[in-house]
Amino acid sequence: MTQGGSINERIGQHYSALSKSHKITADYVVANSFRAATMSIDELADAVGISNATANRFARALGFDGYPQFRAELVSGFETMLAPIEGLRSEIGRASSGTEVINRSLSDDIANLEATRREFRPDVCNRAVQMILDAERIYIIGYGASAYLGGIMCHALTNYCDSVQANVGTGGPAQVSRTLYKFTERDLVIAISFPRYSSDVVTLVGQAKKRQVPILALTDRPSSPVASIANVTLYAQTKPQFNSEGIVLCLIEAICAAVANQAESSVDIAAETTELMLPWLHHGKK
């Protein structure tokens, strides 16, 4: 690259000198920057109606060595959002049978579980469990797949905590914000946030933090936007290309198992709950 600046800045600098076909390409990229970032040179050329050679010359006209460098710059602002797309592109590019893909996915999950376990710090884990046990009320926040994971965590903790809610089925972030407005330092917010990070989770957790509500975050890395807000953070290693809800679920199940182990009268609670559920449980006659 011969010049600095974002893609849009480069296009602005060079636009008047571009050829007609290059101007059409520039207009498309500016209007569809995220979509363009996902495209190979063949796909961009097809979308704009130009040849691959013209697409490559367009990149050079903006000061790049070629299309790969142009696309790398375009992608740079969308890394976490594009990771699943790039992972899928890479996976499709590998000649694999269905069995090979399944085996590779399971192997990745096993490796990520081992990596997650290796990174556990006993003091942090113990503090996370104690935060859950000490809280008068717990609110679990997650969007996308994390909302369903939050629902599972809510279900698992209900027997051992006085009040647990999750945002699954609520009236959206505004309704969650109204609920959290009543929370205090005696309560707890659990934030589940993995790429692609939801801005709603970050906003809600930030609001709770301002009210001095303790925050427990489940996320993937220290650079996660919720990690810097949380009082305690537990990390789950996810796949490099795809998010793996299975790894996060394993972490949630481990936390809930520790809470059940440390909770008072947990065996009595489990027995009473099972007794209450007997009318809805199938048990064959001997």
Side-chain angles (χ1 to χ4, degrees):
M1 288 186 286
T2 60
Q3 302 172 26
S6 69
I7 293 292
N8 283 359
E9 289 172 343
R10 284 171 178 263
I11 288 174
Q13 292 167 2
H14 295 278
Y15 192 84
S16 62
L18 296 177
S19 66
K20 182 178 179 180
S21 61
H22 288 174
K23 284 180 179 177
I24 294 172
T25 307
D27 292 341
Y28 181 88
V29 169
V30 170
N32 305 276
S33 57
F34 178 78
R35 178 64 180 157
T38 71
M39 291 178 165
S40 66
I41 188 170
D42 296 333
E43 292 165 335
L44 179 65
D46 185 61
V48 179
I50 58 176
S51 67
N52 286 15
T54 300
N56 211 36
R57 285 195 293 270
F58 166 72
R60 292 200 194 96
L62 297 182
F64 294 97
D65 293 339
Y67 188 83
Q69 211 168 31
F70 159 76
R71 184 168 179 268
E73 179 66 21
L74 197 57
V75 164
S76 64
F78 301 108
E79 289 94 341
T80 58
M81 289 178 278
L82 288 172
I85 299 170
E86 293 304 301
L88 181 60
R89 188 192 301 277
S90 175
E91 192 67 42
I92 291 174
R94 301 168 70 176
S96 303
S97 67
T99 300
E100 289 171 329
V101 173
I102 291 171
N103 283 332
R104 191 156 57 240
S105 180
L106 290 173
S107 295
D108 287 345
D109 281 341
I110 292 169
N112 283 318
L113 277 174
E114 288 294 340
T116 298
R117 186 171 62 174
R118 283 196 302 270
E119 294 300 318
F120 269 11
R121 288 174 46 195
D123 58 326
V124 176
C125 294
N126 289 335
R127 189 178 171 197
V129 171
Q130 199 60 50
M131 289 173 76
I132 293 172
L133 291 170
D134 290 345
E136 292 183 4
R137 294 175 294 182
I138 298 173
Y139 203 104
I140 305 170
I141 304 174
Y143 286 93
S146 293
Y148 297 99
L149 293 168
I152 293 172
M153 190 174 196
C154 179
H155 172 77
L157 291 177
T158 295
N159 285 347
Y160 309 103
C161 304
D162 290 337
S163 174
V164 188
Q165 294 177 264
N167 66 282
V168 177
T170 62
Q175 182 61 38
V176 176
S177 182
R178 291 177 64 184
T179 302
L180 293 182
Y181 183 76
K182 303 171 185 177
F183 273 46
T184 71
E185 67 275 3
R186 297 187 300 274
D187 303 312
L188 175 66
V189 167
I190 300 176
I192 305 175
S193 184
F194 289 82
R196 313 166 186 180
Y197 306 112
S198 166
S199 59
D200 287 336
V201 173
V202 179
T203 299
L204 290 167
V205 170
Q207 288 179 350
K209 184 71 170 181
K210 288 179 182 178
R211 297 186 58 79
Q212 299 185 10
V213 180
I215 310 294
L216 169 61
L218 310 183
T219 191
D220 65 322
R221 65 191 73 180
S223 60
S224 162
V226 297
S228 60
I229 304 173
N231 300 87
V232 173
T233 303
L234 296 178
Y235 298 102
Q237 177 71 49
T238 57
K239 292 181 181 180
Q241 289 92 9
F242 299 100
N243 291 339
S244 178
E245 283 75 33
I247 306 302
V248 186
L249 180 57
C250 286
L251 174 60
I252 288 171
E253 289 179 339
I255 294 167
C256 294
V259 169
N261 179 271
Q262 298 295 313
E264 294 182 5
S265 306
S266 57
V267 175
D268 292 339
I269 292 170
E272 290 174 8
T273 302
T274 301
E275 185 176 1
L276 286 171
M277 293 173 61
L278 278 176
W280 295 276
L281 298 177
H282 175 76
H283 47 96
K285 295 180 180 179
K286 292 184 179 180

